[in-house]
Amino acid sequence: MAKRKGITVSRQIMDSQMLHPEATGELTGLLNELIVAGKIISAEVNMAGLADILGQSGKTNIQGEEVQKLDVFANKTIKRRMEQCGYLCVMASEEEDGIIPVLDGYEGKYTVAFDPLDGSSNIDVNVSIGTIFSIHQRISSGKQGTEKDLLQPGSRQVAAGYIIYGSSTMMVYTTGDGVHGFTLDPSVGEFFLSHPDIKIPQTAKYYSVNESYTNYWHDSTRAYIDYLKEIDPATGRPLSLRYIGSLVADFHRNLIKGGIFLYVRDKKSTDKPEGKLRLLYEAAPLAMVVEQAGGRAITDDGRRILDIEPVDLHQRVPLIIGSKEQVDIAESFFLGKKG
Ligand code: P6P
């Protein structure tokens, strides 16, 4: 079905629902609740510099990271909307230790795992940050959902996406029927279709990695990054390094322009042997988006991100994600076939 630019995201979600006669409208309702949460967070993020909402909350989260005031606000906003929407049986937040129940009597058939404000270390310096979400159908019976409902492989997600709070606020999501981008018009408070059927360029223009870890890289990582710095015969120049330290911002740029993002294991992170990024809240939802857009998402030992069976809510995973052609090349280096 042709994607008509300028339609609202709610209309687009309804159109997608029409493609599935068995749909009950609950996923539509859930996505619309997430949209409302995104609008509320966007308004707060855009005022952050003026209100007393910048800076640290004085708390640390389960990841051992300083929690920013806006993190707390975003987490609360999403939880409040989700717990009483009637579409969820359980949820999990990157900011909270355990599963989060829904209000009694408001149980539904879906789960959501979310990172309320990824990249929050960038909030105070006006760098783009984002909310990432991952939706599954429950597999447990009974009223309230369980951890088991959340520990499902990314291949079973029914929807995934992110809301990026940058020069404009955009919602990018997929329900398995391609990837669509919507831009918020704050003057009317609506998300309008601005990027229909996003496909990630097969050829990468950018590479995103934190080069400050160079001295700790395994040989395969170093060989691959050195390869990226060689002149690409096709363009007469190497790839450009773009790394802003906000996964949603780095991922979104690479999705639109073509690129590869890496956050892999190194010799230093004994406390994070699987790298820094979380499977449920970051890698799996972005992997669904990138595969639906024609890209790839794997680990540094060649596993497909969407095939990984989670064993812990806060499980970390090495991540190589982006343009298919470049992920294929990276895979050959990391699997020792090249370099
Ligand atoms: P580093 C932000 O804290 C985050 O989780 C991602 O958004 C970002 O890509 C990564 O960490 C940056 O980590 O170690 O490069 O500072």
Side-chain angles (χ1 to χ4, degrees), residues 35-153:
I35 287 162
V36 174
K39 289 178 183 176
I40 294 169
I41 295 167
S42 174
E44 204 68 15
V45 164
N46 292 330
M47 290 295 289
L50 300 171
D52 173 30
I53 192 127
L54 279 178
Q56 295 173 351
S57 65
K59 300 175 187 163
T60 52
N61 62 16
I62 184 175
Q63 323 293 346
E65 294 161 343
E66 284 289 348
V67 178
Q68 306 289 329
K69 289 179 185 173
L70 261 179
D71 267 337
V72 173
F73 175 83
N75 193 46
K76 252 196 246 173
T77 299
I78 297 171
K79 279 195 333 184
R80 191 166 297 142
R81 300 216 68 82
M82 294 294 107
E83 68 184 4
Q84 57 187 340
C85 70
Y87 305 120
L88 295 179
C89 64
V90 68
M91 56 184 133
S93 165
E94 190 253 357
E95 291 293 334
E96 305 210 6
D97 301 11
I99 63 173
I100 304 166
V102 298
L103 291 190
D104 192 33
Y106 287 85
E107 296 84 1
K109 69 180 181 182
Y110 292 110
T111 74
V112 69
F114 59 92
D115 185 350
L117 212 54
D118 179 77
S120 53
S121 54
N122 292 293
I123 288 176
D124 294 3
V125 293
N126 215 9
V127 162
S128 300
I129 49 185
T131 298
I132 310 173
F133 59 89
S134 164
I135 298 171
H136 282 278
Q137 279 221 19
R138 73 179 301 169
I139 48 179
S140 71
S141 52
K143 287 185 68 173
Q144 288 283 342
T146 65
E147 193 172 80
K148 193 174 71 168
D149 293 304
L150 290 154
L151 296 180
Q152 298 185 59

Side-chain angles (χ1 to χ4, degrees), residues 147-168:
E147 193 172 80
K148 193 174 71 168
D149 293 304
L150 290 154
L151 296 180
Q152 298 185 59
S155 56
R156 287 217 291 267
Q157 290 174 103
V158 293
Y162 56 88
I163 299 168
I164 180 168
Y165 312 102
S167 50
S168 64

Side-chain angles (χ1 to χ4, degrees), residues 138-325:
R138 73 179 301 169
I139 48 179
S140 71
S141 52
K143 287 185 68 173
Q144 288 283 342
T146 65
E147 193 172 80
K148 193 174 71 168
D149 293 304
L150 290 154
L151 296 180
Q152 298 185 59
S155 56
R156 287 217 291 267
Q157 290 174 103
V158 293
Y162 56 88
I163 299 168
I164 180 168
Y165 312 102
S167 50
S168 64
T169 293
M170 269 193 75
M171 177 170 181
V172 176
Y173 83 96
T174 180
T175 55
D177 170 40
V179 178
H180 311 295
F182 298 80
T183 300
L184 180 65
D185 177 341
S187 67
V188 296
E190 266 298 350
F191 279 99
F192 292 100
L193 181 62
S194 52
H195 297 67
D197 212 12
I198 297 173
K199 292 296 176 200
I200 186 169
Q202 288 302 298
T203 305
K205 187 173 177 187
Y206 300 113
Y207 76 96
S208 307
V209 70
N210 187 332
E211 295 238 0
S212 71
Y213 301 146
T214 300
N215 293 339
Y216 308 113
W217 285 343
H218 291 297
D219 294 346
S220 53
T221 310
R222 184 186 291 270
Y224 175 57
I225 303 299
D226 286 348
Y227 159 80
L228 290 179
K229 293 178 176 170
E230 292 167 7
I231 300 289
D232 177 348
T235 59
R237 56 188 300 279
L239 268 64
S240 294
L241 170 61
R242 290 285 186 283
Y243 188 80
I244 199 163
S246 178
L247 173 60
V248 175
D250 281 320
F251 175 84
H252 184 70
R253 179 201 51 250
N254 292 348
L255 179 74
I256 302 299
K257 300 281 189 184
I260 185 166
F261 174 99
L262 302 97
Y263 205 112
V264 295
R265 284 174 277 210
D266 60 34
K267 301 170 189 169
K268 168 179 71 82
S269 45
T270 47
D271 59 328
K272 294 176 187 144
E274 293 300 305
K276 176 179 185 181
L277 301 178
R278 276 69 50 154
L279 176 60
L280 264 61
Y281 315 104
E282 292 164 325
L286 296 185
M288 181 180 185
V289 171
V290 86
E291 286 200 6
Q292 280 287 315
R296 285 189 72 197
I298 60 172
T299 62
D300 53 12
D301 56 1
R303 289 170 289 155
R304 178 180 177 235
I305 292 288
L306 292 182
D307 290 340
I308 299 174
E309 293 273 353
V311 294
D312 178 82
L313 285 180
H314 296 285
Q315 166 173 350
R316 297 174 192 269
V317 68
L319 180 62
I320 300 169
I321 188 167
S323 298
K324 181 183 182 310
E325 182 186 286

